Amino acid sequence: MAGNDDSTSMSARAREAVRERIIDRRYPQGVRLVEREVAEELGMSRVPVREALRSLVADGLLELLPNSGVRVRTITRDDVHHLYEVWEPLAVQASRLAARATADDPERAADLEQALDDAERAAAAGAGAREVTAHAAFHERVVDLAGNPLLTRTMEQLNGLLRLLFGMREEPAHMRAQHSEMFRRIAAGDEEAAAAATLLHVRDSRSLALRSLFGDG
């Protein structure tokens, strides 16, 4: 069992290391990742790296090449539009349900505040990938707080692509401010205000993503 645990831990470390490099753009969009080279760079054997790359394909950060290997996914305008068309109603409903959950127990919002604190510390340290992770964690914790297992499973399919887009967007301070507003509304148990703050945030997020990636607007 210990061997399996070690293998799982190494795969998780490899997955996080590769994901960080994608978000930081050290692995740019469209670049082919060679398993052997990634393993050498990370100082790991090829097995956990192979598992990590497979996992990141499932997350939507990498895509399989026709013959063999993987490359970093290249985001298109259609990708952005399709993602936000799905994410917007789910994110709004998640915030509404999260606010309902905190109405009787405000302390349940503590995990959201922790994610905000993590983002602030990462920003102060200039740690871009860590800040992106904290912003993604904020949204994931809103979904957890909503307490709807089907919503959680659905959102898990979007999280990889969302993290990639968060890393490519500009104006992180603007995102932190909007997350803070969402937190205040959710922690206050105000369902409609939480939903409204989230709707504004998601629509701004879409505009920022399009501007950052394609110069739109």
Side-chain angles (χ1 to χ4, degrees):
M1 292 296 293
N4 289 337
D5 290 345
D6 289 344
S7 176
T8 300
S9 175
M10 289 295 290
S11 296
R13 285 175 51 199
R15 181 174 181 269
E16 189 58 34
V18 174
R19 182 167 63 183
E20 182 175 299
R21 284 162 171 74
I22 293 171
I23 292 171
D24 276 350
R25 305 188 207 185
R26 283 177 280 174
Y27 294 160
Q29 291 188 68
V31 72
R32 182 171 180 262
L33 298 184
V34 179
E35 180 185 300
R36 172 181 50 79
E37 295 175 355
V38 174
E40 290 175 356
E41 181 180 347
L42 300 182
M44 295 182 177
S45 71
R46 293 174 65 171
V47 173
V49 169
R50 183 180 307 128
E51 294 172 352
L53 296 181
R54 287 174 180 165
S55 176
L56 291 168
V57 168
D59 285 348
L61 297 182
L62 300 176
E63 55 190 5
L64 292 172
L65 292 170
N67 296 322
S68 64
V70 297
R71 66 184 173 197
V72 179
R73 181 170 181 166
T74 297
I75 302 298
T76 67
R77 281 187 177 84
D78 281 346
D79 287 331
V80 176
H81 287 303
H82 293 160
L83 175 64
Y84 278 89
E85 284 171 355
V86 175
W87 186 41
E88 180 179 301
L90 294 176
V92 170
Q93 182 64 6
S95 288
R96 184 179 282 114
L97 293 174
R100 186 178 304 172
T102 62
D104 296 325
D105 186 3
E107 292 185 3
R108 295 186 65 189
D111 281 350
L112 302 184
E113 190 168 22
Q114 181 63 55
L116 292 178
D117 290 344
D118 290 346
E120 290 287 352
R121 284 194 293 271
R130 276 177 37 214
E131 184 177 359
V132 169
T133 296
H135 286 310
F138 175 83
H139 283 284
E140 290 161 15
R141 290 174 187 179
V142 170
V143 172
D144 290 342
L145 186 55
N148 184 309
L150 181 57
L151 177 61
T152 299
R153 289 195 299 272
T154 304
M155 282 301 303
E156 284 172 352
Q157 299 177 50
L158 306 181
N159 286 337
L161 191 52
L162 282 170
R163 285 186 182 230
L164 184 56
L165 281 177
F166 288 164
M168 295 176 176
R169 282 173 25 186
E170 299 170 347
E171 303 182 41
H174 184 64
M175 182 159 50
R176 290 196 301 274
Q178 290 189 336
H179 282 179
S180 294
E181 179 65 13
M182 287 171 60
F183 165 73
R184 285 193 291 271
R185 301 304 186 182
I186 291 170
D190 189 331
E191 294 183 35
E192 295 312 312
T198 303
L199 180 62
L200 174 63
H201 169 61
V202 173
R203 290 184 174 176
D204 275 1
S205 176
R206 183 203 307 248
S207 296
L208 285 171
L210 290 169
R211 183 161 69 243
S212 297
L213 289 169
F214 310 109
D216 292 6

